[in-house]
Amino acid sequence: MGFDAFCSVDSSDPFWDWNRTWYTSNPDLTQCFQNTVLVWLPCLYLWLSAPIYLIYLRSHNHGYICMSHLNKAKTAVGFLLWIICWADVFYSFWERSHGSRAPAPVHLVSPTLLGFSMLLATLLIQYERMKGVQSSGVMLIYWLLALVCATVTFRSKILQALDQPSTVCVWRYTTFYIYYALLLVALFLSCLSDQLPLFSPAVKDPNPCPEFGASFLSRITFWWITKMMIVGFKHPLEEKDLWSLNPDDRSQGVVPQLVHRWNTECQKVKSTEQKTLYSPKRVQRNEGKQDGVVEESEILIVKKPHKTKEPSLFWALCLTFGPYFFISCFYKFIQDILMFVGPEILRLLISFVNNSSAPSWQGFFYTALLFICTCVQSLILQKYFHVCFVSGMRLRTAIIGAVYRKALVISSAARRTSTVGEIVNLMSVDAQRFMDLITYINMIWSAPLQVVLALYFLWQNLGPSVLAGVAVMVLMVPINAVIAMKTKTYQVAQMKSKDNRIKLMNEMLNGIKVLKLYAWELAFKDKVSEIRESELRVLKKAAYLGAVSTFTWVCAPFLVALSTFTVYVLSDEENVLDAEKAFVSLALFNILRFPLNMLPMVISSMVQASVSLKRLRVFLSHEELQEDSVDHNIVAGSPHSISIVEGVFSWSRSESPTLKRLNVCIPEGSLVAVVGHVGSGKSSLLSALLGEMDKLEGAVAVKGSVAYVPQQAWIQNSTLKDNIMFGQERMETWYQRVVEACALQPDLEILPAGDETEIGEKGVNLSGGQKQRVSLARAVYCDRAVYLLDDPLSAVDAHVGKHIFDQVIGPQGLLKDKTRVLVTHGLSYLPQANLILVMVEGEITEMGSYQQLMATEGAFADFLRTYAAVEHSDNDELEPKKGSKGMENGSVTTLVGSASKLPQTGKEAEVLNKKVKNAEVGKLTEADKASTGRVKLSVFCAYMKAIGVLLSFISLLLFLTHHLVSLFSNYWLSLWTDDPVINGTQPYREMRLGVYGALGLTQGVAVFGYSLSMSIGGILASRYLHQSMLYDVLRSPMSFFEQTPSGNLVNRFAKEMDTIDSLIPSIIKMFMGSMFNVVGSCVIILIATPLVTVIIPFLGLLYFFVQRFYVASSRQLKRLESVSRSPIYTHFNETLLGTSVIRAFGEQARFIRESDQRVDHNQKAYYPGIVANRWLAVRLEFVGSCIVSCAALFAVIARASLSPGIVGLSISYALQLTASLTWLVRMSSEVETNIVAVEKVKEYSDTKKEAEWKHEASTLSPGWPTEGCIDIRGFGLRYRHDLDLAIRNITIKIDAGEKVGIVGRTGAGKSSLTLGLFRIIEAAEGQILIDGVDIAQLGLHELRSRITIIPQDPVMFSGSLRMNLDPFNSYTDEEVWRAVEFSHLKSFVSGLPDKLNHECSEGGENLSVGQRQLLCLARALLRKTKILVLDEATAAVDMETDNLIQSTIRSQFEDSTVLTIAHRLNTIMDYTRVLVLDKGEIAEFDSPSNLIAQRGSFFKMAKDSGLV
């Protein structure tokens, strides 16, 4: 024995002695073992981990920590320890020289080694300080290990001193006690955390995350979040209580990494493609390499190559998140190994109970070991989950960021392949999928590992009969795989239906006003319900599958145990099933159950994620706009501001070119007008200049920066001021000039909070004219070199248009030195243009100044001659009138209604300042509020009711049966194992086996039953909830839609319904399961060891307190998280609608920042939520470990009176308890947080509703109104009950067949009157009679379906043209065609390949605005009612179309009553009477000729329009 000689000179001190250590009632280790292993172990740990740790520290520098008292103390203790070790070494030398006999080598080697380790530890402490580590885990573990090892020696030394005082060496004893005391101090010091490093970001942060500065112990137990939990327990958490995100989790850190990696991937693929498919047929070009790439891709399309390699998004994700995620694999591995310690200790405990001669300290030793192992295992597991969840969170951030950035550069052709809804889904659903998967993904290797280990231990236990069990398991795998595959196909089908449903909902919400005006709600409700039914059919199939899979995996472990025990017992008479074999096997089977259940789940989750991955990859690889299609770097000297040479453009590569043979040169500073008929490509020309179209040939150059005003104004949901400033800094005087020039001053006075008024989504609370002017003001304020204006004057009244032209666009306007390209239908502006471009079918047919074009007698001259009579305008009119100042567009928002008259004097500024203070008034949209407090019982009751009471009751009963039978079968097993063994065999084993099998069968039936009834119940509930929510939303009045952002509503129909469809049933199922499990385990433990009654109530209380404490914060965090989720999507939605504007202004970076901020804001609530989960799990698993240890401890104490079967039963149940407890709390909080979805869906049933749609007994004659007389008596209405009347005292009588024009400046109440007529807003006073019937007495549908409106903005829904004209299918094809013909669309529709079945894209984007307007006219012609209301319908149409519409209305509606809200007075000059409104009251009402003779306000307007 070399070791014995190393420890003592005469080998008197052996290294190991079993009699001294194990077979004794007072165990102790030998001196030699203490001096070698116990000293070397900590040193070995430190020297092994130091190099890795040093490398880690070098790469992770957090800044420098100044020397603090703590640090000085740590260093001093380390130094002292080092000195003490050297003292021992010197003592050994001294002994050698002075003593009688030389000391053993161990006394030299061990202290030397220990001394060097202490020195290393001291140096590490200093290095950590310089790298900014506030608390170190490596060092803490080292001190702990050293202390534990020293404690064994400490006990041994004291025993030795008591037993054999003569052998004590005083020097070594003294140094050892000092060493031990210093170790205690060192351990204590390393538990504390140092101060923050200098220059750390946390110093500047108002509310930093305490994780960074928390000590190591606090981190592994997640103690650092307790402060927030306490706050959350005292009062519901709010925004301000949340910490800032860690820098590593923020968008600005995470997203660029992924984008960079993805771009690298794409480059790789591109370069390989170019190698393999390089074609010599390159057209010779000398415009740089980009064009070459374009050409190649064209050739590739021609050649139809073999499938090219796709760039791998998966690989990009791996490279980005792999390294951090890899740590989790390490944790998982350790945890998997520790899992099998439990069953081993159980085996030792059962054999200990069987062997009455074993010393009792062994039992306590096993118990302690069990406790320590379960604790360590739970800490490691939670750390693992934490890493996984943080990775998932970063992944989601990165994906959302990447999708957002891509959406800003995607080409219009690609943009058309996916609707807004689908792109938003990429962000919400698919990003979420990845997040869910990442928490499981390690199971792919960990599950097989666990299975292999479990089988190994089982083989040791039962021998070959294990194979029977394995066979059953192997059979289960394909069944589960088939189920998973089927589920996946159903999932895809359901996603498809869901996409369609959300798309339709989105459109309905966007066009809700039109649905209400036309009384089309029911038709669309049926369309949604139809999609929903097909979705539910799929869900039902999935539910049946789910029931089968639940059945397989609940019964699998039992079947496995049954088959194994059967084979074991029947294969050999001598095989006795004793407690050790049975219960250790059961414990191992329980471990097996988890990986086997998880595998199919993980596989299906991976399959889902792969679908998502593909969707994301396709989106991210869409083609982008050609960055070089417009050249902005023109030589400074060139006189041309814009030039197009031989330009050919199309919207997508596959289509024929929209614009052909364009040659334009525009000199700097000139005003260019573009005219042409509807659909002649005027807007496309501007898009080509912006680089939004695909440039097929030619060159485009634009000099300087660009500003763009689209035809349909794009307004953001923020304050009016933000909309105008658009991210520029505030220049007060310039801002005032812009507002003044764009005629917005009067509007600001009337808006409730001036320019601080919040504007709703898509500008709902601004009239069309105001939106257009805000859009124009934004462009002017940004002060660019080139202005592209797409018909900004169409939606404003004539006099306002004139004002804007003079003040902004014209030769004397603010923009007089800029280059302006103005698309216009207003002929009066043409003489002032330097250059006029005439467009016909995508080509510029003529260009030149007004005089030149008039002289050439071409298309332009004809064009003008047609209208010269209509818009005759004298040149002297172009001088701005001094008197017309008051008639500017003093506009009132449609939503807010007119405020009382404000002084329009020099006090304007004061008034504005007063307004600003009252910014709250200007709030409009209500953000999703986070509800607080516990979820009410009523919500659960509502859900139960939705399922059906009987079904709920049956499910509960089946649950109970299953769990009772399960408990009894295990109890039966314990009785079986206690059967006495006679002649090496157990007598009643066939009977025992038969009953055991029968119990198992009963269990299976119960499981299948309850899982089926739950799933069916869930589907019934979700059908009922969706139907009622849809009905409630459609029954809501217009004001509801203006105040609720559509994002919130869509969120309810998408996210919350999804939760109710797929999550809630399964969560409730799991909750019930884990609840019964926990109760069952407690009952068994109490039966086995009644002593536990002392402990369980105490632990139960602790558990309950921790759970309540946790749920209070967790629920609120979850709510905050879901509330902050909507704004991400709302903002994204908004961006998608305004990409062209954002790109034109070059504001992409700002919008990306804003999006990132919103994502971070959302993650700020999500992160503490994850940590709170971990906090809870650590606490609960500790409670679980205590219960296990108590069960074991009391079994050890009472071992004399217990049979091994009962001990085995009790402890194997206790081992499961920890998992069940954690699962129970997780599920109970999941139930609470997810049932909120039901609460949110029910929320709309309590909001205000419109009047009834139909009255039961309708008294109306079918043909009503037969005449069309409208009698308005003292009518007034207000938009909200807290506002003044928007219109008041309107009393007029309109006879049958009269044509009445309604004029007045914007906001005078013109639209309000029509809203009152359709009862979109109910009257506040007075009444309206139609043919003598008071409309307030009618059902809304009866009223709205009998009168017709052609609304201001033409709204289209995606679907066929036919559906857009006649959603109820109540007209024949002939009638539809006739309407199309009269609305002058026949040639257009006949030219389409599918005629009336032509698919309109979302919002009718594949039709021009003019065509949409004509389709609205066709709708009106189809209904052909006695009353027709035209609301500014002529705004976006050129003169020709305008004339068509007017003549159609005159001919087709000559015997109907027509009310026209007019902008262009020439349309109503031949009407019977004109109603002039001013500030909501009647100003004048008479025939046009009389009004002009009166020289009142109508005369002024006519004069402004040049009609007098």
Side-chain angles (χ1 to χ4, degrees), residues 14 116 254 315 320 634 832 938 996 1053 1132 1143 1151 1169 1178 1350:
F116 279 122
V254 179
W315 185 238
T320 316
I634 310 182
Q832 302 187 50
S938 59
Y996 190 59
F1053 280 100
F1132 185 44
R1143 281 196 290 254
F1151 275 82
V1178 170
I1350 301 183

Side-chain angles (χ1 to χ4, degrees), residues 437 484-485 488 601-612:
L437 172 69
M485 291 309 288
K488 179 217 157 179
M601 247 175 88
V602 175
I603 291 168
S604 72
S605 190
M606 281 182 79
V607 167
Q608 275 182 26
S610 72
V611 172
S612 294

Side-chain angles (χ1 to χ4, degrees), residues 808-824:
V808 183
I809 305 167
Q812 274 78 47
L814 284 177
L815 304 179
K816 56 178 182 287
D817 308 328
K818 317 281 188 192
T819 309
R820 292 140 293 166
V821 180
L822 171 69
V823 171
T824 182

Side-chain angles (χ1 to χ4, degrees), residues 1000-1012:
L1001 200 68
T1002 324
Q1003 223 173 314
V1005 174
V1007 171
F1008 190 68
Y1010 80 68
S1011 96
L1012 202 62

